[in-house]
Amino acid sequence: MPESVRLSFSIEKSLLKQLERLTREDGCENRSEFIRGLIRNRLVEEDWQKGREALATITLVYDHHSRQLSKKLLELQHHQHTEIMASTHIHLDEHRCAEMIMMKGRPERIRRIAALLGQQKGTLHSALSLSGMGEHLT
Ligand code: NI
């Protein structure tokens, strides 16, 4: 584990109360852990803003009967194979499926693929979860 330093800083009492509430609600052991998480989130956000290679997962919920969408999903996974690393399919019930697609690549490419999938006929919901490659996080 990298060397840690102790620091002190000033903060309004009202903000300190909010910090303690958020730390508790997030299930963090202490404020340091919570603040480390905030900084890392901001660093990942910066990776996305600056167009650095990133990691993301798209979750899609879609109509099982929509053949066009299933075809498009397969097609994309073949043609965008440099970005799409893995995918998992779950049969939710007789009519609905979910697919989690893990991607690695440039943010603009990942966003384009996510938008393409989200716009397909038969997609009921799509959510993009953004992460980073972890290079600047320690
Ligand atoms: Ni299915």
Side-chain angles (χ1 to χ4, degrees):
M1 199 173 156
E3 191 191 349
S4 296
V5 288
R6 288 190 72 84
L7 50 96
S8 68
F9 58 95
S10 304
I11 187 173
E12 287 81 353
K13 273 188 179 169
S14 55
L15 278 180
L16 176 62
K17 262 186 145 181
Q18 299 283 24
L19 172 63
E20 282 172 344
R21 179 182 63 79
L22 291 169
T23 301
R24 212 174 37 245
E25 285 178 7
D26 274 19
C28 291
E29 273 183 31
N30 53 50
R31 285 178 259 172
S32 298
E33 189 187 327
F34 180 79
I35 290 168
R36 279 195 290 269
L38 285 184
I39 296 169
R40 288 181 174 129
N41 285 344
R42 184 64 191 86
L43 288 169
V44 168
E45 210 177 291
E46 189 183 42
D47 282 348
W48 279 77
Q49 284 164 353
K50 295 197 168 169
R52 292 183 190 128
E53 188 171 53
L55 210 60
T57 306
I58 303 177
T59 302
L60 284 174
V61 177
Y62 64 96
D63 183 349
H64 162 77
H65 306 289
S66 171
R67 286 195 179 178
Q68 262 182 321
L69 182 61
S70 307
K71 221 178 114 190
K72 190 78 192 169
L73 273 173
L74 260 178
E75 194 186 301
L76 268 171
Q77 293 185 31
H78 279 286
H79 294 296
Q80 312 289 344
H81 58 87
T82 48
E83 277 82 21
I84 297 174
M85 313 302 289
S87 70
T88 303
H89 182 105
I90 296 163
H91 313 295
L92 294 174
D93 60 24
E94 281 175 40
H95 309 288
R96 280 169 294 271
C97 299
E99 189 129 346
M100 270 73 79
I101 303 165
M102 194 174 190
M103 295 184 298
K104 189 177 96 169
R106 297 282 162 201
E108 68 276 12
R109 298 262 308 159
I110 290 175
R111 286 195 196 280
R112 190 144 24 99
I113 296 168
L116 207 65
L117 290 170
Q119 289 157 9
Q120 296 299 309
K121 200 172 170 234
T123 300
L124 301 170
H125 187 255
S126 82
L128 182 62
S129 163
L130 314 179
S131 193
M133 297 290 288
E135 288 155 346
H136 332 287
L137 303 180
T138 53

